[in-house]
Amino acid sequence: MPAPDVINLMSDTVTVPTPSMRHAMATCEVGDDVFRSDPTVNKLQEMTAEIVGAEASLWLPTGTMANQVAIAVHTHPGQDVIAGSWSHIVNYELGGVAWNSLCQLNMVSDEGGWITADRIKDAIRHQSDHTPGTGLVCLENTHNRRGGRVMPLEDLEKCADLAHNDGIPVHLDGARIWNASRASGVKVSEYCSKVESMMFCLSKGLASPAGSMLCGKKDFIESAHRMRKRFGGGLRQAGVLAACGILSLTEMVERLDEDHRNAKALARAINESGTLMIDESTVETNICIFDLPEKYGIDAFKFADIAEKNGLLVTYMGSRLIRLVTHKDFDGAWIPDVVERIRKSLVR
Ligand SMILES: *Cc1c(COP(=O)(O)O)cnc(C)c1O
């Protein structure tokens, strides 16, 4: 297929539902999920719990709501929430930790792509007459803003052990945990077994139009169910969306390998063209974050603007950082077109 007029590499959220998802939406059985009587939602929740090895799971409309509901359930007002300074929870959830849960963030470095245990050790604060006490540790895998890096299972385990030694629960923002699993060969159930709660998105590389799953123990999921309603996230015939989620898990996981191959090939091709620069060894999944060399005299925001006019949609992640995300609606055969559109956007 020749490249389209606009190649969209802004995010894997731009993926449109597959024909089988469209069909499932039209034909699935539905009920009122606020009364827990939507059979398709129930099926997805049971299936998810089984696959990830959790006691239970809950469907929520967005990943942000799933993270925020988890934080609200785990914490008490006034506590510390430890999270990476480059994490989604800190950067892209509009201060929700403060707004929704009345907690303060205690940010630690995750510059290398994940939080290391020694950082958590330094950051944990016990409750006293002076200190708030740490209510929750949040981890992220894969790491969005650090280019889809995969947090190694051993690091995840070390972080979780440290928190657990102090009786602190751990939440894993696994928006792209299936990408992490395909790239590392570690089962999602292994990541999930180390933490009190894990959320993942159906709406990114797995191509559902909406939806995220929150996984954990039965009691936790019961509390999350009530919290979801409080957040305004109790949907009625949500089965039309859950039907897509079921297909995300059964039909869309293995093909993530293709996105990973395309991201690596894209990184190499752009590097070889000599325009933007990336350390190829950091491209482990479907995200490439490039440096925009200063010699071009424009910042990443401006670059994204110019690239759009040349038929390439990208996002800027900082003044000199440009993100390209591969996904099922991107064909690896278009890589030369991407390289050419970048080149065109940089000549002055
Ligand atoms: C996308 C994303 C989320 C939030 O998901 P939404 O469905 O967009 O609200 C949370 N964490 C990470 C790491 C993400 O990439």
Side-chain angles (χ1 to χ4, degrees):
M1 223 195 345
D5 291 344
V6 178
I7 299 176
N8 193 342
L9 294 174
M10 288 188 85
S11 177
D12 40 10
T13 56
V14 302
T15 44
V16 297
T18 62
S20 68
M21 286 179 179
R22 297 278 192 174
H23 177 75
M25 291 176 95
T27 56
C28 66
E29 220 187 314
V30 292
D32 187 331
D33 184 47
V34 172
F35 293 116
R36 306 189 191 213
S37 59
D38 186 305
T40 307
V41 172
N42 291 340
K43 183 176 165 191
L44 171 61
Q45 290 176 168
E46 283 158 25
M47 200 177 131
T48 300
E50 170 137 4
I51 295 174
V52 308
E55 280 182 14
S57 89
L58 181 71
W59 184 93
L60 294 101
T62 68
T64 299
M65 193 190 283
N67 279 339
Q68 292 297 322
V69 160
I71 293 164
V73 171
H74 284 305
T75 59
H76 298 296
Q79 284 185 316
D80 261 2
V81 171
I82 295 177
S85 54
W86 288 72
S87 69
H88 195 279
I89 285 171
V90 170
N91 289 275
Y92 301 122
E93 300 189 7
L94 286 90
V97 171
W99 187 273
N100 297 313
S101 296
L102 300 172
C103 286
Q104 67 178 5
L105 282 166
N106 185 350
M107 287 178 260
V108 298
S109 171
D110 52 355
E111 186 116 35
W114 55 87
I115 301 174
T116 51
D118 50 319
R119 304 279 180 187
I120 292 184
K121 195 170 182 181
D122 290 342
I124 287 175
R125 284 193 275 219
H126 298 109
Q127 191 178 322
S128 75
D129 288 351
H130 310 282
T131 49
T134 301
L136 180 67
V137 171
C138 297
L139 306 173
E140 185 171 317
N141 198 14
T142 66
H143 200 298
N144 177 12
R145 217 170 157 216
R146 297 313 283 159
R149 296 302 303 272
V150 179
M151 182 175 194
L153 184 65
E154 311 80 72
D155 287 86
L156 200 149
E157 191 167 9
K158 277 185 202 149
C159 288
D161 285 351
L162 253 175
H164 294 156
N165 278 341
D166 279 317
I168 300 164
V170 180
H171 171 69
L172 175 57
D173 175 350
R176 295 186 180 83
I177 197 71
W178 295 97
N179 295 84
S181 172
R182 292 303 300 180
S184 64
V186 173
K187 286 196 179 117
V188 171
S189 56
E190 288 186 74
Y191 292 122
C192 190
S193 70
K194 311 289 177 218
V195 297
E196 276 59 43
S197 59
M198 176 184 82
M199 92 79 175
F200 67 83
C201 293
L202 299 161
S203 55
K204 293 193 163 158
L206 302 184
S208 276
S212 287
M213 303 306 295
L214 184 61
C215 314
K217 288 237 189 310
K218 273 210 174 72
D219 286 357
F220 170 81
I221 293 296
E222 272 307 303
S223 302
H225 191 269
R226 287 174 53 75
M227 194 63 78
R228 182 184 70 176
K229 176 74 171 162
R230 192 173 283 134
F231 275 54
L235 271 70
R236 301 296 179 175
Q237 284 71 39
V240 290
L241 294 167
C244 298
I246 290 171
L247 295 170
S248 285
L249 291 175
T250 53
E251 296 183 354
M252 305 306 289
V253 170
E254 285 169 25
R255 65 149 307 287
L256 293 174
D257 296 356
E258 185 186 333
D259 298 345
H260 299 176
R261 280 195 299 275
N262 282 338
K264 285 189 181 75
L266 184 64
R268 166 143 310 168
I270 296 173
N271 260 353
E272 282 172 355
S273 77
T275 49
L276 304 177
M277 296 179 312
I278 190 170
D279 175 356
E280 286 172 38
S281 70
T282 65
V283 183
E284 296 179 278
T285 57
N286 68 328
I287 301 177
C288 304
I289 294 187
F290 288 90
D291 271 329
L292 175 64
E294 289 201 30
K295 66 180 179 193
Y296 294 114
I298 52 172
D299 63 14
F301 176 78
K302 182 79 182 156
F303 173 82
D305 202 39
I306 299 170
E308 182 173 353
K309 295 193 178 78
N310 289 320
L312 178 66
L313 302 184
V314 303
T315 42
Y316 52 92
M317 303 299 274
S319 62
R320 311 226 68 86
L321 297 178
I322 295 156
R323 188 185 74 165
L324 282 73
V325 185
T326 57
H327 51 76
K328 77 151 177 78
D329 296 332
F330 172 75
D331 185 336
W334 305 340
I335 288 174
D337 301 87
V338 175
V339 172
E340 175 53 21
R341 290 175 199 191
I342 288 174
R343 197 197 54 74
K344 231 165 105 185
S345 306
L346 290 170
V347 290
R348 285 181 297 160

